[in-house]
């Protein structure tokens, strides 16, 4: 059980305690344990149980709960609360926008014990009549339930990848072969996954079935399975699981056919005739003509440049491959710094020094710190005096850690009218500014777009953060006119981030190519609140690759000196308009 799983368990316990109206001091203690675990930079599971208090800083009581959780998968208080709570009510705690107190009212006063009952009550206008709810809350609940219904049976990419790799490794071990591959949506690097698909080469399909039927967490669907295909679901998430069992000779072909969108497989190949002449051949037909040992050989024989799986979407990549115009795509190792990160100055878990030294020790050249601005009260946003204090600390750390560099940034809230949080002299004190929306997410497309356009036009905006504010499988993003926003960024030379947090992955990869065509630079930003969060840059790289992102068009592939020169040149060209003359630094 990793630190994140431990943290989730304690956060759930705190929610359940609030649901049952238990002692608020005890609730805060459980929340404190969750926060302490979340802040740790080493795996708690690897510590001797007797040494937990000393190594983690937890009290002996809290450490005992952590030890129990590590050893048994739960702890007594959490188990007691789960036993006292209907499973459907526990599920309701995951609904975005309503907290434990409101769920308690729904449960106790209306007898609602499932999301289905909640939907029925909201549709029949019973929810709005409860004290503290009203029509607006009822509508929000229905919207959240609708989105949750659409998201059911799906996993975020990292969760699906972990499940698929676990299945694949077990098959390799059981079948004693390396010819097992994760394919489908995961190999194409889609941000959410409906079907976890694996292809395995074997002459012993029954052995594979026996393994899969015995795996905890998988439920077989015998009606959809057959001798050469095991189908079922992952019990906890409901995501579909499919394992195709093929002969060793057919392995490469089946991996290929299951690693591309239908549009990619069925697009006509330029200048390649079908079998016996007539209509142009497709990649699907080409793959069936003969057995290949590598996918590269298949593309080469079809007269195409090799197309990596994440590009196989039928979005013009075959024409580019035919003309040998596919570029070298961005790779993890191209990134030289990490921008848009948070520290303990706002809502991060680690100090400036810890966030910086982790990057330095892992071979990066710079950190862009972007704590929340003053309007983000919920995230301990920085007022002007705390901005000054942070920047003084950055100066000291830069002198100590050189040549590693910390850039002075801020994640400035885009206010409701599109203006940036802070007055111009405060904004001018930063090296760069990530402008992001965090509030008033219910605007229609015109208002939401106009709000972003005004922020992009602000001379202090260096970068646009998570453009739609979406949380995958949790919350839809606010609607925007993507072309208008990207065109404005091109006009004003504003960088757009691909927020690499797996819950966001925003800018959506489907708009990356348009941004590149307009000459807009992109930045792979982890939005890290913890040193663990830096690992998320990998997911941003994958999304960028899906949109043909190259090293040359990735801002944080620049060196520290190049990034510094860019920031300085941009600031030198700022002539603040009259509306930005008011001072908050005074």
């Amino acid at each position: 059980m990793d630190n994140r799983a431990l943290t989730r368990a304690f956060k759930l316990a705190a929610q359940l305690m609030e649901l049952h109206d238990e002692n608020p001091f005890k609730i805060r203690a459980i929340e404190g344990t969750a926060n302490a675990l979340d802040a740790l930079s080493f795996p708690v599971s690897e510590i001797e149980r007797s040494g937990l208090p000393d190594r983690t800083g937890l009290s002996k009581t809290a450490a005992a709960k952590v030890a129990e959780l590590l050893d048994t998968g739960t702890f007594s208080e959490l188990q007691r609360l789960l036993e006292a709570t209907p499973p459907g009510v526990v599920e309701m705690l995951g609904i975005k926008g309503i907290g434990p107190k409101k769920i308690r009212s729904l449960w106790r006063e209306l007898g609602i014990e499932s999301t289905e009952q909640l939907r029925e009550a909201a549709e029949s206008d019973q929810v709005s009549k409860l004290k503290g709810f009203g029509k607006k809350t009822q509508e929000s609940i229905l919207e959240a339930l609708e989105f949750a219904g659409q998201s059911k049976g799906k996993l975020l990419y990292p969760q699906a990848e972990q499940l698929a790799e676990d299945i694949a490794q077990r098959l390799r071990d059981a079948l004693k072969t390396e010819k097992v591959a994760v394919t489908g949506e995961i190999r194409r690097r889609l941000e959410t996954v409906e079907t976890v698909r694996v292809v395995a080469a074997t002459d012993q399909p029954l052995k594979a079935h026996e393994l899969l039927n015995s795996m905890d967490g998988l439920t077989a669907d015998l009606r959809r399975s057959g001798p050469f295909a095991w189908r079922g679901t992952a019990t906890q998430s409901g995501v579909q699981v499919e394992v195709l069992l093929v002969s060793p000779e057919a392995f490469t072909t089946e991996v290929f056919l299951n690693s591309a969108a239908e549009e990619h497989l069925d697009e006509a190949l330029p200048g390649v005739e079908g079998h016996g002449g007539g209509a142009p051949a497709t990649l699907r037909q080409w793959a069936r003509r003969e057995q290949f040992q590598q996918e590269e050989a298949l593309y080469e024989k079809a007269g195409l440049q090799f197309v990596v799986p994440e590009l196989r979407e039928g979005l013009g990549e075959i024409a580019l491959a035919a003309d040998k115009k596919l570029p070298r795509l961005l790779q993890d190792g191209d990134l030289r710094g990490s921008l848009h990160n948070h520290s303990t100055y706002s809502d991060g878990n680690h100090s400036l020094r810890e966030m910086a030294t982790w990057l330095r020790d892992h071979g990066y050249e710079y950190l862009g710190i972007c704590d929340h601005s003053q309007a983000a009260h919920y995230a301990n946003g920085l007022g002007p005096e705390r901005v000054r204090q942070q920047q003084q600390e950055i100066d000291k750390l830069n002198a100590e850690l050189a040549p590693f560099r910390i850039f002075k940034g801020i994640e400035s809230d885009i206010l409701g009218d599109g203006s940036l949080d802070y007055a111009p002299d405060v904004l001018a004190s930063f090296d760069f500014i990530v402008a992001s929306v965090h509030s008033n997410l219910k605007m229609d497309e015109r208002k939401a777009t106009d709000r972003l356009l005004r922020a992009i036009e602000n001379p202090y905006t260096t970068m646009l953060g998570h453009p739609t504010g979406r949380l995958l499988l949790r919350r839809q993003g606010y609607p925007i006119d993507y072309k208008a926003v990207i065109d404005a960024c091109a006009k004003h030379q504003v960088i757009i981030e691909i927020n690499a947090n797996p819950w966001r992955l925003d800018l959506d990869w489907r708009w990356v190519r348009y941004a590149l065509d307009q000459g807009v630079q992109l930045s792979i930003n982890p939005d890290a609140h913890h040193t663990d969060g830096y690992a998320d840059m990998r997911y941003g790289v994958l999304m960028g690759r899906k949109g043909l992102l190259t090293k040359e068009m990735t801002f944080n592939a620049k060196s520290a000196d190049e990034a510094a020169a860019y920031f300085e040149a941009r600031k030198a060209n700022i002539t603040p308009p009259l509306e930005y003359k008011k001072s908050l630094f005074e």
Side-chain angles (χ1 to χ4, degrees), residues 113-241:
E113 294 189 355
S114 70
T115 54
E116 291 78 14
Q117 290 176 352
L118 177 57
R119 184 191 300 277
E120 291 173 4
E123 288 175 343
S124 61
D125 199 25
Q126 297 178 54
V127 172
S128 67
K129 296 178 173 62
L130 283 177
K131 184 179 179 181
F133 283 78
K135 295 282 188 183
K136 190 173 181 180
T137 300
Q138 182 171 270
E139 289 172 8
S140 296
I141 288 172
L142 283 170
E143 288 176 10
L145 289 172
E146 177 66 24
F147 188 71
Q150 294 171 0
S151 302
K152 200 167 186 178
K154 297 180 183 178
L155 286 175
L156 295 181
Y157 173 84
Q159 299 165 339
E161 183 184 44
Q162 184 176 11
L163 173 61
E165 291 294 350
D166 180 43
I167 293 171
Q169 188 56 52
R170 289 172 182 250
L171 285 165
R172 291 185 193 105
D173 294 341
L175 301 175
K176 294 180 171 48
T177 178
E178 288 303 310
K179 286 194 170 185
V180 179
V182 175
T183 61
E185 298 159 33
I186 299 170
R187 192 158 184 245
R188 285 162 48 208
R189 316 299 192 189
L190 291 178
E191 63 271 44
T192 60
V193 173
E194 294 185 53
T195 302
V196 170
R197 184 170 290 132
V198 175
V199 174
T202 181
D203 293 323
Q204 307 174 74
L206 285 178
K207 193 168 186 178
H209 277 271
E210 289 172 3
L211 168 71
L212 294 163
N213 288 334
S214 69
M215 280 184 64
D216 290 338
L218 294 185
T219 302
D221 185 340
L222 298 179
R223 293 173 300 173
R224 296 191 302 116
S225 298
F228 303 104
W230 186 97
R231 295 183 176 90
T233 57
T235 313
Q236 186 174 3
S237 65
V239 73
Q240 298 293 309
V241 177

Side-chain angles (χ1 to χ4, degrees), residues 122 208 346 481 492 571:
S346 64
D481 181 335
H492 296 282
K571 287 180 67 175

Side-chain angles (χ1 to χ4, degrees), residues 1-11 33-34 36-47 49 52 56 65-67 69-71 73-75 158-159 162 530 532-533 535-536 539:
M1 184 175 283
D2 63 19
N3 289 11
R4 291 185 179 183
L6 294 171
T7 301
R8 286 195 298 270
F10 278 92
K11 285 183 176 178
T33 301
L37 290 167
D38 194 34
L40 296 175
S41 56
F42 53 84
V44 176
S45 60
E46 295 179 7
I47 301 171
R49 303 299 183 255
L52 280 171
T56 63
K65 291 182 175 65
V66 172
L69 181 57
L70 286 169
D71 292 337
T74 186
F75 59 96
Q159 299 165 339
Q162 184 176 11
H530 190 291
D532 287 351
D536 290 345
Y539 306 119

Side-chain angles (χ1 to χ4, degrees), residues 319-433:
L320 289 173
D323 293 335
K324 307 297 189 287
K325 289 184 178 179
L326 286 175
R328 176 193 176 276
L329 301 179
L330 180 70
Q331 298 179 22
D332 293 341
D334 293 329
L335 302 184
R336 300 175 74 172
S338 178
L339 300 167
H340 188 173
N341 306 282
H342 298 264
S343 74
T344 49
Y345 270 92
S346 64
D347 60 344
N349 288 293
H350 293 300
S351 68
L352 258 177
R353 177 184 293 277
E354 289 169 324
M355 294 296 283
T357 54
W358 192 99
L359 282 176
R360 181 200 62 184
D361 295 346
H362 286 78
Y364 292 92
E365 297 180 25
Y366 54 91
L367 161 69
I369 198 66
C370 288
D371 280 305
H372 286 283
S373 64
Q374 59 188 353
H377 303 293
Y378 58 89
N380 194 30
L382 280 63
E385 182 54 37
R386 293 181 63 230
V387 168
R388 193 195 309 271
Q389 291 170 4
Q390 185 183 65
Q391 292 180 354
Q392 289 172 347
E393 183 178 348
I394 290 171
D395 288 336
K396 292 177 182 176
L397 286 170
N398 277 336
E400 177 186 337
L401 301 176
F404 186 85
R405 177 82 179 262
I406 303 174
F407 289 111
K408 300 169 183 174
I410 197 75
E411 185 177 19
S412 178
D413 265 33
I414 299 174
L415 305 179
D417 63 356
S419 60
L420 295 188
D421 202 7
Y422 298 129
D425 56 345
V426 182
L427 295 173
S429 71
F430 298 105
D431 294 319
F432 75 109
I433 290 166

